[in-house]
Amino acid sequence: MQQAIKELKRLFGYDSFKKGQDRLVASILEGRDVLGVMPTGAGKSVCYQLPAAMLPGVSLVVSPLISLMKDQVDALNQAGIPAALINSTLSSKELNDTFRRIAAGEFKIVYVAPERLESERFYRLVQELHIPLVAVDEAHCVSQWGHDFRPSYLAVGRLLEWIEPRPVLAAFTATATDVVKEDIVSQLRLNHPVRVTTGYARDNLSFHVVKGADKQEYIARYIRSRPKDSGIIYASTRKDVEELERYLNRLGVSAGRYHAGLSDEERSKSQELFLYDVIKVMVATNAFGMGIDKSNVRYVIHYSLPKNLESYYQEAGRAGRDGEPGECVLLFAAQDIMTQKFLIEQGEGDPARKKQDYSNLNDMVDYCHTTDCLQRYIVQYFGDPSKEPCGRCGSCTDERELHDITLEAQKIFSCVVRMRQRFGITMTAKVLKGSADAKVKQFGFDQLPTYGVMKMAKEKDISGLINVLVADGYLMLSDSQYPVLSVTQKAKAVLEGTERVFHRAVVMKDQGSGQETEGAADEALFERLRQVRRDLALKERVPPFTIFHDATLRDMCVRQPRNEEEMLSVKGVGQHKFARYGEHFLREIRSFTGRD
């Protein structure tokens, strides 16, 4: 591994591996298949890029992310690792030229879209090459139980039959439940893989759920409090994207839009302006971002409820890829649930798939209502037995007083039982409120002892409390379009009087307060170094972060290097990048500090 660490420093500018990287790199170099499950920002790409650079021949990277391919190929070439891509963006002439250069051995790494794997021309090419490694990025796409199943990914397993000798197969993803992990191993035909899961927690991110806010007003205040920060706002529909983008631009915010209804040219232009920091805010559907390797996104706001926790964590995780603090805010409204149910019913899939989709949606709604640590809720969903609260999220920083709501909980549990556990949240709330609704009387629920026992509360507040009790495991919702409530063992203990229930007062709290980046980096110097990076990026026509990440610039601000040796001690500055850019940044630092 000493040679690998040496190459890590030379090519990528890092003195040591992050958690899990060393084992994955060592296993690949030893000829073992691997499955790496690592959160966004944990350095998955290094796990296959470094071995690919060290192994003889040309390695393939299968990725569905066309925009990310270009960014990573640009970054690899700048680091001194010759790389190319094969996807639908290439013209016939560019494709012919790329195939010719691959066959001539000019590249160490070739990124390829899964749709291109089964072309006869590609099969002929791989038979002529020495391919030591095939890496599959976003490997959850191969599983029908994952949140982003792509049938074209099934071609990866068939591709191996055409490559002699069989290459090492390395699969990577940021989010995968236990079921999805097993499906990845099976579908990709991994051979007794070394499995490395480094945990799902993102220690630099803070999560918040904001309920009942005027969404547009909240976003306007939030963005105005962060004029220099880059952020992404996700919405479920194209209509919401269009309306929100127009609203922000009327307010003087430099915002762009991205959704599948735009032309390729429009999407490409918006993406480029965002990557180059010309526009600070991107309003988009989930068609945007999965392939965006922009490291300095400081916040991600979800304007609408995502369909499941996998999608949410993938999208929210685009904040803080550079390891600096990032904030993830979900704006929740009850009508969002109906939108997602409509999309499930309109979508394709057999009854088993729809049942799974409803189960996933229930988990997402529970996340919005839980009083537990939000980060812990997410990582436990993925099977990580984390016990410690994060101390940063909306739940952990909630200073509202805890109230004993055991009596209210007992009334709700008793009502669910007396309604024979056959009805949903809305009907249960109506009975507890004492509603004169015709259906309440039709079923005879106005004769129940629990009818009207919470008549002093608003019906929407009763529904909200029921949702909290579901999220905290006292009640359970069935996985269907019209879910029904049932009590759990935890609720029975409350009914029997052996357990008590506590809840924080329901007071809406503004989560839009700014979060300052920690560290001793001088903001004035940081801004000057960003300008140097921006000028270089414009000159070379590459995104700024492919030159150096924000985290590297901040380390320069702290260390204030004076020469090559000191600059090479900065995290993220390798020898190749120093040769290209080092003197530009050293000159600016010397000018700022007044030292030679």
Side-chain angles (χ1 to χ4, degrees):
M1 281 298 288
Q2 286 304 311
Q3 185 58 35
I5 292 174
K6 222 182 259 187
E7 289 297 290
L8 178 71
K9 177 62 179 174
R10 184 179 73 85
L11 297 170
F12 298 99
Y14 298 111
D15 295 310
S16 59
F17 288 107
K18 292 182 180 180
K19 181 181 178 183
Q21 285 182 327
D22 50 353
R23 189 171 173 218
L24 287 162
V25 169
S27 298
I28 292 171
L29 291 174
E30 290 166 5
R32 296 283 307 276
D33 285 1
V34 303
L35 171 59
V37 183
M38 307 166 77
T40 302
K44 290 187 294 294
S45 57
V46 168
C47 295
Y48 56 81
Q49 288 174 350
L50 181 60
M54 296 175 66
L55 291 168
V58 56
S59 294
L60 303 180
V61 179
V62 180
S63 172
L65 315 174
I66 289 176
S67 53
L68 180 59
M69 281 188 196
K70 184 179 185 308
D71 292 342
Q72 293 204 340
V73 166
D74 286 344
L76 285 167
N77 283 315
Q78 288 187 28
I81 304 170
L85 57 81
I86 299 174
N87 61 35
S88 58
T89 66
L90 300 184
S91 66
S92 295
K93 183 178 181 303
E94 290 171 326
L95 190 62
N96 290 336
D97 185 55
T98 301
F99 268 79
R100 179 186 58 76
R101 295 179 66 192
I102 293 172
E106 293 186 27
F107 302 113
K108 290 296 295 178
I109 300 177
V110 174
Y111 280 76
V112 58
E115 293 80 11
R116 299 277 156 165
L117 292 179
E118 292 193 285
S119 76
E120 189 176 331
R121 186 180 184 186
F122 188 74
Y123 279 148
R124 288 200 306 270
L125 176 67
V126 298
Q127 288 178 294
E128 299 171 6
L129 302 173
H130 174 55
I131 301 174
L133 169 66
V134 174
V136 182
D137 205 2
E138 308 295 342
H140 58 270
C141 294
V142 80
S143 172
Q144 63 175 323
W145 302 115
H147 68 280
D148 193 29
F149 174 55
R150 310 280 184 97
S152 56
Y153 255 62
L154 298 175
V156 177
R158 296 190 287 272
L159 174 68
L160 297 181
E161 299 171 6
W162 293 82
I163 304 175
E164 291 290 344
R166 180 192 184 276
V168 172
L169 193 57
F172 296 90
T173 182
T175 53
T177 60
D178 289 342
V179 171
V180 172
K181 288 178 196 173
E182 293 309 316
D183 211 17
I184 290 171
V185 172
S186 172
Q187 297 291 351
L188 293 180
R189 307 176 196 175
L190 294 175
N191 184 17
H192 302 293
V194 174
R195 302 181 185 218
V196 176
T197 300
T198 59
Y200 294 92
R202 293 283 303 281
D203 293 338
N204 63 316
L205 299 185
S206 58
F207 291 84
H208 303 274
V209 176
V210 177
K211 303 174 193 171
D214 180 315
K215 293 186 178 184
Q216 288 195 351
E217 182 184 331
Y218 178 92
I219 286 173
R221 283 189 292 108
Y222 188 99
I223 292 174
R224 280 171 168 166
S225 71
R226 297 161 173 75
K228 293 182 179 179
D229 290 346
S230 291
I232 302 173
I233 303 172
Y234 282 109
S236 291
T237 66
R238 299 175 189 180
K239 180 184 176 185
D240 284 342
V241 169
E242 297 280 350
E243 288 180 355
L244 191 52
E245 185 256 353
R246 284 196 297 269
Y247 171 71
L248 291 175
N249 278 299
R250 283 199 304 271
L251 295 179
V253 176
S254 59
R257 58 181 180 164
Y258 191 107
H259 59 69
L262 301 175
S263 67
D264 289 345
E265 186 179 350
E266 286 178 289
R267 290 199 302 271
S268 179
K269 184 65 175 175
S270 285
Q271 183 173 299
E272 184 177 325
L273 292 173
F274 184 61
L275 289 174
Y276 283 78
D277 288 333
V278 177
I279 57 175
K280 290 293 185 182
V281 182
M282 180 65 80
V283 187
T285 61
N286 61 6
F288 175 80
M290 193 174 176
I292 300 303
D293 196 21
K294 184 175 171 65
S295 63
N296 63 337
V297 174
R298 296 272 66 87
Y299 61 85
V300 172
I301 299 175
H302 276 79
Y303 186 75
S304 317
L305 183 73
K307 61 184 178 181
N308 54 50
L309 269 168
E310 289 101 321
S311 297
Y312 176 66
Y313 205 41
Q314 280 267 356
E315 291 160 11
R318 281 153 205 158
R321 291 175 69 103
D322 54 5
E324 296 290 301
E327 197 162 45
C328 311
V329 180
L330 196 164
L331 303 179
F332 176 73
Q335 58 263 37
D336 294 344
I337 302 172
M338 300 311 298
T339 301
Q340 286 299 340
K341 286 184 176 180
F342 173 79
L343 294 174
I344 290 172
E345 286 305 306
Q346 295 300 308
E348 298 178 359
D350 57 24
R353 178 73 233 188
K354 288 190 176 181
K355 182 177 169 59
Q356 181 66 44
D357 288 342
Y358 280 117
S359 176
N360 292 341
L361 179 58
N362 285 344
D363 290 330
M364 190 71 246
V365 174
D366 287 354
Y367 168 81
C368 294
H369 289 290
T370 186
T371 56
D372 192 12
C373 167
L374 296 174
Q375 175 81 85
R376 179 163 62 182
Y377 184 96
I378 292 171
V379 299
Q380 287 182 345
Y381 171 82
F382 287 111
D384 186 337
S386 174
K387 301 294 183 189
E388 295 299 317
C390 73
R392 301 176 306 277
C393 72
S395 294
C396 289
T397 58
D398 191 340
E399 297 176 351
R400 295 174 300 175
E401 186 180 347
L402 275 174
H403 291 268
D404 188 329
I405 59 162
T406 304
L407 182 60
E408 289 85 349
Q410 287 174 331
K411 291 175 181 177
I412 291 170
F413 302 155
S414 177
C415 190
V416 171
V417 171
R418 290 176 187 277
M419 292 170 70
R420 300 184 182 179
Q421 305 182 82
R422 291 171 52 193
F423 293 85
I425 292 174
T426 301
M427 180 63 80
T428 305
K430 286 181 183 296
V431 174
L432 288 161
K433 172 66 179 173
S435 169
D437 186 274
K439 283 193 174 180
V440 171
K441 294 183 177 181
Q442 178 187 333
F443 289 110
F445 291 151
D446 56 336
Q447 302 302 311
L448 294 177
T450 51
Y451 178 74
V453 294
M454 298 180 74
K455 62 185 177 184
M456 300 306 292
K458 293 180 180 178
E459 195 174 304
K460 70 172 186 177
D461 291 339
I462 299 172
S463 294
L465 185 53
I466 293 172
N467 272 306
V468 169
L469 294 170
V470 172
D472 288 351
Y474 294 97
L475 295 169
M476 188 167 63
L477 280 170
S478 63
D479 301 328
S480 60
Q481 185 178 5
Y482 305 105
V484 300
L485 287 165
S486 59
V487 296
T488 66
Q489 200 61 42
K490 197 173 176 182
K492 291 175 183 176
V494 177
L495 284 170
E496 292 165 0
T498 59
E499 294 289 341
R500 305 197 71 74
V501 183
F502 293 89
H503 180 54
R504 297 191 186 277
V506 183
V507 178
M508 295 303 165
K509 184 178 179 183
D510 181 12
Q511 302 286 359
S513 57
Q515 181 180 28
E516 293 184 5
T517 301
E518 297 179 358
D522 188 296
E523 287 301 316
L525 176 57
F526 179 64
E527 286 304 318
R528 285 173 64 165
L529 295 181
R530 280 178 61 170
Q531 186 59 52
V532 171
R533 182 180 64 180
R534 192 176 299 118
D535 292 344
L536 289 168
L538 287 171
K539 183 179 177 183
E540 299 198 4
R541 301 182 61 80
V542 296
F545 61 84
T546 64
I547 293 175
F548 288 126
H549 291 315
D550 277 8
T552 299
L553 298 189
R554 290 199 178 278
D555 201 27
M556 288 183 196
C557 294
V558 172
R559 296 174 186 266
Q560 296 185 2
R562 292 169 293 181
N563 52 46
E564 178 179 351
E565 182 181 356
E566 292 180 4
M567 181 64 95
L568 286 172
S569 70
V570 173
K571 292 178 182 176
V573 181
Q575 291 171 355
H576 188 81
K577 282 200 173 182
F578 177 81
R580 293 187 69 169
Y581 308 119
E583 282 301 328
H584 295 279
F585 290 91
L586 280 175
R587 275 199 302 273
E588 195 64 34
I589 293 167
R590 290 178 191 132
S591 170
F592 180 83
T593 60
R595 298 180 309 193
D596 291 331

